[in-house]
């Protein structure tokens, strides 16, 4: 199973954790990542703390807890490789749509691309099946 297959076939909740250059940590709820043709994965984000942290510290962790009984899921260790503010591309990739006025009022969006450095099971130190 590929990582893309895993996220296409598994429902759950995700948390993206980042830290600023001083090591102060933030965690925020994020939908499943988008998988790009070049092998990177991407998240759409607004100009908030998570995005700000990634300007000075490119490392992040995405914790995904799958729905169902018990504690299953994955932890993805990521490194930011680039970002894009292409409004047309972001609009095509956006899964949750607001009316235009509400969307604009929330501020600009960025598509932030990451390289997957390591994938682990949610619990323990086992390597995730797609890693």
């Amino acid at each position: 199973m590929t990582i893309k297959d895993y996220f296409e076939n598994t429902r759950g909740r995700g948390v993206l954790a980042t830290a600023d250059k001083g090591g102060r940590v933030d965690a925020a709820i994020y939908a499943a990542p988008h998988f790009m043709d070049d092998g990177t994965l991407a998240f759409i984000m607004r100009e908030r703390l998570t995005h700000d942290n990634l300007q000075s510290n490119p490392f992040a962790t995405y914790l995904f807890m799958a729905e169902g009984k018990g504690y299953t899921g994955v932890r993805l260790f990521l490194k930011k490789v680039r970002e894009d503010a292409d409004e047309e591309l972001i609009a095509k990739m956006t899964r949750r749509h607001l009316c235009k006025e509400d969307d604009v009022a929330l501020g600009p969006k960025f598509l932030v691309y990451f390289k997957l450095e390591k994938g682990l099971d949610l619990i323990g130190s086992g390597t995730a099946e797609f890693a």
Side-chain angles (χ1 to χ4, degrees), residues 72-112:
T72 60
V74 295
R75 293 172 287 156
L76 306 180
F77 296 83
L78 308 169
K79 183 175 183 184
K80 178 185 165 187
V81 292
R82 69 184 184 281
E83 71 178 62
D84 190 329
D86 181 336
E87 292 177 15
E88 187 175 314
L89 176 60
I90 292 169
K92 282 196 308 193
M93 295 176 71
T94 297
R95 296 177 183 129
R96 183 179 71 128
H97 295 280
L98 304 170
C99 72
K100 185 169 177 88
E101 295 77 22
D102 289 347
D103 194 36
V104 169
L106 291 173
K109 292 180 191 174
F110 301 90
L111 187 59
V112 182

Short mmCIF file of all heavy atoms in Angstrom, two decimals, residues 72-112:
data_model
loop_
_atom_site.label_atom_id
_atom_site.label_comp_id
_atom_site.label_asym_id
_atom_site.label_seq_id
_atom_site.Cartn_x
_atom_site.Cartn_y
_atom_site.Cartn_z
N THR A 72 -5.05 3.40 16.13
CA THR A 72 -4.31 3.10 14.91
C THR A 72 -4.13 4.38 14.13
O THR A 72 -4.90 5.32 14.25
CB THR A 72 -5.02 2.05 14.03
OG1 THR A 72 -6.29 2.55 13.66
CG2 THR A 72 -5.18 0.73 14.77
N GLY A 73 -3.11 4.40 13.33
CA GLY A 73 -2.82 5.56 12.51
C GLY A 73 -1.34 5.64 12.25
O GLY A 73 -0.61 4.65 12.39
N VAL A 74 -0.90 6.83 11.87
CA VAL A 74 0.50 7.02 11.51
C VAL A 74 1.01 8.37 12.01
O VAL A 74 0.24 9.28 12.29
CB VAL A 74 0.72 6.95 9.97
CG1 VAL A 74 0.41 5.57 9.44
CG2 VAL A 74 -0.10 8.00 9.25
N ARG A 75 2.33 8.43 12.10
CA ARG A 75 3.03 9.69 12.36
C ARG A 75 3.97 9.92 11.19
O ARG A 75 4.78 9.06 10.85
CB ARG A 75 3.83 9.62 13.66
CG ARG A 75 2.95 9.51 14.89
CD ARG A 75 3.77 9.25 16.14
NE ARG A 75 4.24 7.87 16.12
CZ ARG A 75 5.31 7.43 16.77
NH1 ARG A 75 6.06 8.26 17.48
NH2 ARG A 75 5.65 6.16 16.72
N LEU A 76 3.86 11.09 10.56
CA LEU A 76 4.70 11.43 9.43
C LEU A 76 5.67 12.52 9.84
O LEU A 76 5.26 13.57 10.34
CB LEU A 76 3.86 11.93 8.25
CG LEU A 76 2.73 11.01 7.77
CD1 LEU A 76 2.00 11.65 6.61
CD2 LEU A 76 3.25 9.64 7.41
N PHE A 77 6.94 12.28 9.63
CA PHE A 77 7.99 13.26 9.94
C PHE A 77 8.35 13.94 8.63
O PHE A 77 8.78 13.29 7.67
CB PHE A 77 9.18 12.57 10.59
CG PHE A 77 8.81 11.96 11.92
CD1 PHE A 77 8.20 10.72 11.99
CD2 PHE A 77 9.04 12.67 13.10
CE1 PHE A 77 7.83 10.17 13.21
CE2 PHE A 77 8.66 12.13 14.32
CZ PHE A 77 8.06 10.88 14.38
N LEU A 78 8.16 15.26 8.59
CA LEU A 78 8.20 16.01 7.35
C LEU A 78 9.24 17.11 7.36
O LEU A 78 9.57 17.65 8.42
CB LEU A 78 6.82 16.66 7.12
CG LEU A 78 5.61 15.74 7.20
CD1 LEU A 78 4.33 16.55 7.22
CD2 LEU A 78 5.62 14.76 6.05
N LYS A 79 9.69 17.49 6.16
CA LYS A 79 10.56 18.65 6.00
C LYS A 79 10.01 19.49 4.84
O LYS A 79 9.82 18.99 3.73
CB LYS A 79 12.00 18.24 5.69
CG LYS A 79 12.92 19.45 5.59
CD LYS A 79 14.37 19.06 5.42
CE LYS A 79 15.23 20.32 5.39
NZ LYS A 79 16.63 19.98 5.14
N LYS A 80 9.76 20.75 5.13
CA LYS A 80 9.24 21.67 4.11
C LYS A 80 10.28 21.84 3.01
O LYS A 80 11.46 22.06 3.29
CB LYS A 80 8.93 23.03 4.73
CG LYS A 80 8.44 24.06 3.72
CD LYS A 80 8.27 25.42 4.38
CE LYS A 80 8.15 26.50 3.34
NZ LYS A 80 8.16 27.83 3.93
N VAL A 81 9.82 21.76 1.75
CA VAL A 81 10.74 21.95 0.63
C VAL A 81 10.43 23.20 -0.18
O VAL A 81 11.31 23.75 -0.83
CB VAL A 81 10.79 20.70 -0.29
CG1 VAL A 81 11.44 19.54 0.43
CG2 VAL A 81 9.42 20.31 -0.81
N ARG A 82 9.17 23.64 -0.14
CA ARG A 82 8.80 24.88 -0.84
C ARG A 82 7.36 25.23 -0.51
O ARG A 82 6.65 24.46 0.12
CB ARG A 82 8.99 24.74 -2.35
CG ARG A 82 8.04 23.81 -3.04
CD ARG A 82 8.38 23.66 -4.54
NE ARG A 82 7.42 22.85 -5.23
CZ ARG A 82 7.37 21.53 -5.23
NH1 ARG A 82 8.25 20.84 -4.53
NH2 ARG A 82 6.44 20.88 -5.91
N GLU A 83 6.95 26.40 -0.98
CA GLU A 83 5.54 26.77 -0.86
C GLU A 83 5.12 27.56 -2.07
O GLU A 83 5.96 28.08 -2.81
CB GLU A 83 5.23 27.50 0.44
CG GLU A 83 5.78 28.90 0.56
CD GLU A 83 5.36 29.53 1.88
OE1 GLU A 83 5.72 29.02 2.94
OE2 GLU A 83 4.65 30.56 1.82
N ASP A 84 3.82 27.65 -2.27
CA ASP A 84 3.25 28.25 -3.45
C ASP A 84 2.02 29.04 -3.03
O ASP A 84 1.28 28.61 -2.14
CB ASP A 84 2.87 27.11 -4.40
CG ASP A 84 2.47 27.54 -5.79
OD1 ASP A 84 1.91 28.64 -5.94
OD2 ASP A 84 2.69 26.75 -6.72
N ALA A 85 1.77 30.16 -3.67
CA ALA A 85 0.57 30.95 -3.37
C ALA A 85 -0.34 31.03 -4.60
O ALA A 85 -1.16 31.94 -4.71
CB ALA A 85 0.97 32.35 -2.90
N ASP A 86 -0.23 30.08 -5.52
CA ASP A 86 -1.02 30.04 -6.75
C ASP A 86 -2.50 29.85 -6.41
O ASP A 86 -2.94 28.74 -6.07
CB ASP A 86 -0.51 28.89 -7.62
CG ASP A 86 -1.24 28.76 -8.95
OD1 ASP A 86 -2.40 29.21 -9.06
OD2 ASP A 86 -0.64 28.18 -9.89
N GLU A 87 -3.27 30.92 -6.49
CA GLU A 87 -4.67 30.91 -6.06
C GLU A 87 -5.51 29.91 -6.86
O GLU A 87 -6.38 29.25 -6.31
CB GLU A 87 -5.28 32.30 -6.16
CG GLU A 87 -4.68 33.27 -5.15
CD GLU A 87 -5.23 34.68 -5.29
OE1 GLU A 87 -6.27 34.87 -5.97
OE2 GLU A 87 -4.63 35.59 -4.70
N GLU A 88 -5.24 29.79 -8.16
CA GLU A 88 -6.00 28.87 -9.01
C GLU A 88 -5.74 27.42 -8.60
O GLU A 88 -6.67 26.62 -8.47
CB GLU A 88 -5.63 29.09 -10.47
CG GLU A 88 -6.47 28.31 -11.43
CD GLU A 88 -6.14 28.65 -12.87
OE1 GLU A 88 -6.02 29.84 -13.20
OE2 GLU A 88 -6.03 27.70 -13.67
N LEU A 89 -4.48 27.06 -8.38
CA LEU A 89 -4.12 25.71 -7.96
C LEU A 89 -4.72 25.41 -6.58
O LEU A 89 -5.31 24.34 -6.36
CB LEU A 89 -2.60 25.54 -7.92
CG LEU A 89 -2.08 24.21 -7.40
CD1 LEU A 89 -2.58 23.05 -8.26
CD2 LEU A 89 -0.55 24.23 -7.35
N ILE A 90 -4.60 26.34 -5.66
CA ILE A 90 -5.14 26.15 -4.31
C ILE A 90 -6.65 25.97 -4.36
O ILE A 90 -7.20 25.10 -3.69
CB ILE A 90 -4.71 27.30 -3.38
CG1 ILE A 90 -3.20 27.24 -3.13
CG2 ILE A 90 -5.49 27.26 -2.07
CD1 ILE A 90 -2.62 28.46 -2.46
N ALA A 91 -7.33 26.76 -5.19
CA ALA A 91 -8.79 26.64 -5.31
C ALA A 91 -9.18 25.27 -5.83
O ALA A 91 -10.16 24.67 -5.35
CB ALA A 91 -9.33 27.74 -6.23
N LYS A 92 -8.43 24.72 -6.79
CA LYS A 92 -8.73 23.39 -7.33
C LYS A 92 -8.53 22.30 -6.28
O LYS A 92 -9.22 21.30 -6.29
CB LYS A 92 -7.84 23.09 -8.54
CG LYS A 92 -8.29 23.77 -9.80
CD LYS A 92 -7.68 23.19 -11.06
CE LYS A 92 -6.19 23.08 -11.03
NZ LYS A 92 -5.58 22.82 -12.34
N MET A 93 -7.57 22.51 -5.37
CA MET A 93 -7.24 21.49 -4.37
C MET A 93 -8.04 21.62 -3.08
O MET A 93 -8.06 20.70 -2.27
CB MET A 93 -5.74 21.56 -4.06
CG MET A 93 -4.88 21.21 -5.25
SD MET A 93 -3.14 21.39 -4.91
CE MET A 93 -2.88 20.02 -3.81
N THR A 94 -8.69 22.74 -2.88
CA THR A 94 -9.43 22.98 -1.64
C THR A 94 -10.59 22.01 -1.53
O THR A 94 -11.38 21.87 -2.46
CB THR A 94 -9.92 24.44 -1.58
OG1 THR A 94 -8.78 25.29 -1.56
CG2 THR A 94 -10.75 24.70 -0.34
N ARG A 95 -10.69 21.34 -0.38
CA ARG A 95 -11.75 20.35 -0.15
C ARG A 95 -12.97 20.96 0.53
O ARG A 95 -14.07 20.50 0.37
CB ARG A 95 -11.21 19.22 0.72
CG ARG A 95 -10.10 18.43 0.07
CD ARG A 95 -9.58 17.37 1.03
NE ARG A 95 -8.46 16.64 0.47
CZ ARG A 95 -7.31 16.45 1.09
NH1 ARG A 95 -7.12 16.90 2.30
NH2 ARG A 95 -6.35 15.78 0.50
N ARG A 96 -12.75 21.98 1.34
CA ARG A 96 -13.85 22.61 2.09
C ARG A 96 -14.04 24.00 1.49
O ARG A 96 -13.11 24.81 1.49
CB ARG A 96 -13.46 22.72 3.56
CG ARG A 96 -14.55 23.27 4.43
CD ARG A 96 -14.09 23.33 5.86
NE ARG A 96 -13.10 24.36 6.03
CZ ARG A 96 -13.14 25.32 6.95
NH1 ARG A 96 -14.12 25.35 7.80
NH2 ARG A 96 -12.20 26.21 7.04
N HIS A 97 -15.21 24.26 1.00
CA HIS A 97 -15.44 25.52 0.32
C HIS A 97 -16.32 26.45 1.14
O HIS A 97 -17.36 26.05 1.63
CB HIS A 97 -16.06 25.29 -1.05
CG HIS A 97 -15.14 24.55 -1.97
ND1 HIS A 97 -14.13 25.16 -2.66
CD2 HIS A 97 -15.05 23.23 -2.28
CE1 HIS A 97 -13.46 24.26 -3.37
NE2 HIS A 97 -14.00 23.08 -3.15
N LEU A 98 -15.86 27.68 1.27
CA LEU A 98 -16.62 28.74 1.91
C LEU A 98 -17.12 29.66 0.81
O LEU A 98 -16.60 29.64 -0.31
CB LEU A 98 -15.72 29.54 2.85
CG LEU A 98 -14.99 28.76 3.95
CD1 LEU A 98 -13.96 29.65 4.63
CD2 LEU A 98 -15.99 28.24 4.96
N CYS A 99 -18.07 30.52 1.13
CA CYS A 99 -18.44 31.52 0.14
C CYS A 99 -17.23 32.43 -0.05
O CYS A 99 -16.37 32.55 0.83
CB CYS A 99 -19.68 32.30 0.58
SG CYS A 99 -19.42 33.45 1.93
N LYS A 100 -17.12 33.04 -1.21
CA LYS A 100 -15.94 33.83 -1.57
C LYS A 100 -15.62 34.90 -0.52
O LYS A 100 -14.47 35.07 -0.15
CB LYS A 100 -16.12 34.46 -2.94
CG LYS A 100 -14.89 35.19 -3.42
CD LYS A 100 -14.99 35.55 -4.87
CE LYS A 100 -13.81 36.35 -5.34
NZ LYS A 100 -12.71 35.57 -5.81
N GLU A 101 -16.64 35.59 -0.03
CA GLU A 101 -16.43 36.67 0.94
C GLU A 101 -15.83 36.14 2.25
O GLU A 101 -14.90 36.73 2.80
CB GLU A 101 -17.74 37.42 1.23
CG GLU A 101 -18.32 38.17 0.05
CD GLU A 101 -19.03 37.26 -0.97
OE1 GLU A 101 -19.45 36.14 -0.61
OE2 GLU A 101 -19.15 37.70 -2.13
N ASP A 102 -16.38 35.03 2.75
CA ASP A 102 -15.86 34.43 3.98
C ASP A 102 -14.43 33.93 3.79
O ASP A 102 -13.59 34.08 4.68
CB ASP A 102 -16.75 33.28 4.45
CG ASP A 102 -18.09 33.76 4.99
OD1 ASP A 102 -18.25 34.97 5.23
OD2 ASP A 102 -18.99 32.90 5.16
N ASP A 103 -14.17 33.33 2.64
CA ASP A 103 -12.84 32.81 2.35
C ASP A 103 -11.82 33.95 2.32
O ASP A 103 -10.76 33.87 2.95
CB ASP A 103 -12.85 32.04 1.03
CG ASP A 103 -11.62 31.20 0.83
OD1 ASP A 103 -11.10 30.65 1.82
OD2 ASP A 103 -11.17 31.09 -0.33
N VAL A 104 -12.12 35.01 1.62
CA VAL A 104 -11.22 36.16 1.52
C VAL A 104 -11.00 36.79 2.90
O VAL A 104 -9.88 37.17 3.25
CB VAL A 104 -11.75 37.20 0.51
CG1 VAL A 104 -10.99 38.51 0.58
CG2 VAL A 104 -11.70 36.63 -0.90
N ALA A 105 -12.04 36.86 3.70
CA ALA A 105 -11.95 37.48 5.03
C ALA A 105 -10.98 36.73 5.95
O ALA A 105 -10.40 37.32 6.85
CB ALA A 105 -13.33 37.55 5.67
N LEU A 106 -10.79 35.42 5.70
CA LEU A 106 -9.88 34.63 6.54
C LEU A 106 -8.41 34.81 6.18
O LEU A 106 -7.54 34.34 6.89
CB LEU A 106 -10.27 33.15 6.47
CG LEU A 106 -11.60 32.81 7.13
CD1 LEU A 106 -11.97 31.36 6.85
CD2 LEU A 106 -11.53 33.06 8.63
N GLY A 107 -8.13 35.48 5.08
CA GLY A 107 -6.75 35.77 4.71
C GLY A 107 -6.21 34.85 3.63
O GLY A 107 -6.88 33.90 3.21
N PRO A 108 -4.99 35.14 3.19
CA PRO A 108 -4.41 34.37 2.08
C PRO A 108 -4.15 32.91 2.44
O PRO A 108 -3.97 32.57 3.61
CB PRO A 108 -3.10 35.11 1.80
CG PRO A 108 -2.78 35.86 3.03
CD PRO A 108 -4.09 36.17 3.70
N LYS A 109 -4.11 32.07 1.39
CA LYS A 109 -3.81 30.66 1.55
C LYS A 109 -2.47 30.36 0.87
O LYS A 109 -2.11 31.00 -0.12
CB LYS A 109 -4.88 29.79 0.90
CG LYS A 109 -6.22 29.82 1.55
CD LYS A 109 -7.15 28.90 0.77
CE LYS A 109 -8.58 29.06 1.18
NZ LYS A 109 -9.47 28.28 0.32
N PHE A 110 -1.80 29.35 1.39
CA PHE A 110 -0.54 28.88 0.83
C PHE A 110 -0.61 27.38 0.67
O PHE A 110 -1.21 26.69 1.49
CB PHE A 110 0.63 29.24 1.75
CG PHE A 110 0.74 30.71 2.00
CD1 PHE A 110 0.07 31.29 3.07
CD2 PHE A 110 1.50 31.52 1.17
CE1 PHE A 110 0.16 32.66 3.31
CE2 PHE A 110 1.58 32.89 1.41
CZ PHE A 110 0.92 33.45 2.47
N LEU A 111 0.03 26.88 -0.37
CA LEU A 111 0.20 25.44 -0.55
C LEU A 111 1.63 25.14 -0.15
O LEU A 111 2.57 25.60 -0.79
CB LEU A 111 -0.07 25.05 -2.00
CG LEU A 111 -0.10 23.56 -2.30
CD1 LEU A 111 -1.17 22.85 -1.49
CD2 LEU A 111 -0.32 23.33 -3.79
N VAL A 112 1.79 24.42 0.96
CA VAL A 112 3.11 24.16 1.51
C VAL A 112 3.46 22.69 1.25
O VAL A 112 2.72 21.79 1.63
CB VAL A 112 3.17 24.49 3.01
CG1 VAL A 112 4.57 24.26 3.56
CG2 VAL A 112 2.74 25.94 3.25
#
